[in-house]
Amino acid sequence: MSLRNKPYLWFILPGFILYSLFVIYPIFSAAQLSLFHSNGFGDKAFVGLDNYVELFSNPELKHQFLNALKHNLFLVVLNVGLLIPIQLYFAYIIYTKVKGYRFFQTMIFAPQFITTSVIVFLASLIFDQNIGIFNNLLSEIGLGEYTRNWLGVPGYEMITLFVINAWTGVGFSMIYFVAAMKMLSDEVMEASYLDGAGYWRRFFSVIIPQIRSSIVNIAVISYIASMTLFDFSYLLGGVSGGIDNKMDVMTLFFYRITFGTNGAMGGTVSSNSVGMGTTIACVMFAIIFIVALIQLRLSYRKEEQ
Amino acid sequence: MYISKLILWLFSCFTLFILGYLVWNSFRTKRDVLSNTLGWPKSFTFDGYVDIFRDEHFGIHIWNSVVVLVVTIFIIVALASMVAYGLGRYKFKFKQGVLLYFLVGLMFPVQLGIVPIFLIIKNMGLINSLWSVILILSAGISMPVLLLSNFFAGLPNALAESARLDGAGEWKTFYRIMFPLASPVIVSLCIILSVSVWNQFFVPLVMLQNETVKTIPLAIMKYTSNILMSMDYALVSSVLATIPILILFFIFSERVISGVASGSIKE
């Protein structure tokens, strides 16, 4: 094989090596490690599918896993079912260039640039039990009996998490939708305008059907993001995911099993941390991959028709 | 229609208000913020800003974040544009397969492979080194490769031919002619990548344990996790991490937003 005649190899090789080492190899390695009883340090013993059996039969593990999965699915439903319509709605208002639309899109996009630990801190500046301005305002206006720790109202932990996540993330897909709307031909818009279609009528009957593939793309991305959310759960609820794991998510559960409860290097790590950790990662991957594949498949089939 | 506008106004003003409140509080003393939350401050002070650099060495964390950002973006742009050029410009067997191979990464969040990655990094002896984060994040070239290979594939072949006739080699054609042509796409890429690298939380959390190598998001978490103890540092570090970036964004917002839009539209 002469490399002289294959210049593309020299262009592709460096990226190929790094990408293979840190993106592709870990997937296979994780699948393989999940078949062993191991903590990554000492000996490892081949146990076949025992880790998978244990994950779904050990009551404590099973309970924590299903609890975390339930929270992830809750986020998927809210992000896809509620946040995407809001993003489309904002995008349409900006697309129609209402007065001040540049200001709006800048301000709505701005939280993208705030790092997650600051966002959680901002949330506590407002909604914290003692120092939050929301409670202080309530007491000022005589509603003192309603003050509470708004970041952890029992039963509403995941909603809090969603709201914080939504405030941060609303801008990105919104910009994507605005861009998709701008790609539409002006003629169709003008024709529908001349036909007497109203402002909202044009939104629902002209715009939405035409950007359907963009919406499906965002839905898939949003699904993957919701299933792998980590930062907000960790920052709001710590490594245990809040009181009674009320804010637990799959990635956090996985992190806890793999790296222990006291950080990545020390603390309480079980003798099977790596084996069980990779098992959870593989189950998570299967759930994410299958659903994402079905979503994409359905969308492309619709497009072909 | 008026309701829609009102909603957007409220949303935008809410964001402005929070940021303003954050900056405002960063000039108050810790005791004042904690005990007199809504009241008019008794005094203003820059002590928080002085202390965080003098006593807490916050400059180290800023430096760490900047190093990770600059080196990572440099590696991603270099590797991804080379891969994309190889895939977009040349015709060869299994080309579609190789492209697909690079796109698989879009489906795999880094969290899922973090255990094997952790073991590789440990074997390389790079735990607690900024290189761990740089290497892991630099490997995420799927999206850049997709964007850039579409771009290079769309360039006319005559361009490369004329360069060759002028005596330029393959490599020279790439970095003298093709790479500069791609600069609008690369600028968009840099913007999108910078946001995700700068705010990256998970990978540094796993890889960086020593105080001296922590990036800004981790350092801030140390202060915000116990706000009664270190309210002043939490406020000041949040301002330092947020406001300069946002000012840059406000100045270049048109450019940034159109960059993000053009980056995502080609997916």
Side-chain angles (χ1 to χ4, degrees), chain A residues 7-8 10-16 18-27 29-30 33 39-41 89-90 93-94 96 98-100 102-118 121-122 124-128 130-133 136-137 140 166-167 170 172 175-176 179-181 183 199-200 214 217 220-221 224 228-231 234-235 251 254-255 258-259 262-265 273-274 277-278 280-282 284-285 288-289 292-293 296, chain B residues 1 3-5 7-9 11-19 21-22 25 33-34 37-38 75 79 82-83 85-87 90-93 98 100-109 111-122 124 127-128 135-136 138-142 170-171 174 191-192 195 198-199 201-202 205-206 209 216-218 220-221 224 227-228 231 234-235 237-238 241-242 245-246 249-250 253-254 256-257 260-262 264-265 267:
Chain A
Y8 52 87
W10 291 111
F11 284 111
I12 294 175
L13 211 57
F16 183 86
L18 191 67
Y19 174 80
S20 302
L21 182 62
F22 286 110
V23 179
I24 300 297
Y25 166 76
I27 301 165
S29 178
L33 281 169
N39 64 3
F41 291 96
Y89 168 70
F90 281 5
I93 301 174
I94 285 167
T96 55
V98 295
K99 211 173 161 203
R102 280 171 204 273
F103 172 71
F104 295 145
Q105 73 176 18
T106 307
M107 289 319 296
I108 295 172
F109 194 75
Q112 289 292 325
F113 293 91
I114 309 177
T115 187
T116 44
S117 35
V118 173
F121 177 60
L122 290 175
S124 58
L125 276 182
I126 295 182
F127 294 118
D128 187 78
N130 303 308
I131 59 140
I133 44 176
N136 277 288
L137 267 179
E140 287 289 316
W167 178 69
V170 73
F172 204 84
I175 293 298
Y176 181 92
M181 290 175 187
M183 300 275 281
Y199 186 78
W200 293 115
S214 305
N217 277 344
V220 174
I221 294 169
I224 296 177
T228 55
L229 178 123
F230 176 83
D231 300 14
Y234 180 81
L235 288 161
T251 326
F254 154 74
Y255 178 87
T258 312
F259 298 113
N262 295 333
M265 293 297 275
S273 57
V274 163
T278 48
I280 297 165
C282 288
M284 267 173 69
F285 170 67
I288 292 169
F289 189 68
L293 218 57
L296 283 175
Chain B
M1 199 55 220
I3 299 173
S4 305
K5 266 194 203 169
I7 293 173
L8 285 193
W9 272 114
F11 198 104
S12 307
C13 291
F14 175 73
T15 303
L16 264 187
F17 166 76
I18 292 190
L19 295 171
Y21 183 73
L22 173 72
N25 270 344
V33 176
L34 291 178
T37 307
L38 273 186
I75 298 179
L79 293 184
M82 281 167 67
V83 171
Y85 184 69
L87 286 169
Y90 300 97
K91 289 187 175 53
F92 54 92
K93 241 182 177 179
V98 176
L100 203 65
Y101 179 79
F102 278 104
L103 297 191
V104 168
L106 288 173
M107 300 288 281
F108 294 92
Q111 287 97 327
L112 298 178
I114 200 73
V115 176
I117 292 172
F118 183 80
L119 297 175
I120 296 171
I121 293 287
K122 206 179 72 180
M124 291 170 124
I127 299 282
N128 278 324
L135 286 175
I136 296 166
S138 298
I141 55 174
S142 297
E170 299 291 344
W171 174 246
F174 167 67
I191 293 166
I192 303 171
V195 177
W198 186 258
N199 291 337
F201 184 78
F202 186 77
L205 178 73
V206 173
Q209 307 295 324
I216 292 174
L218 296 182
I220 291 174
M221 187 185 75
T224 54
I227 42 181
L228 289 181
M231 185 66 177
L235 285 162
S237 61
S238 298
T242 308
I245 310 276
L246 282 180
F249 167 60
F250 290 145
S253 64
E254 288 292 300
V256 174
I257 286 175
V260 170
S262 71
S264 47
I265 205 72
E267 268 174 33

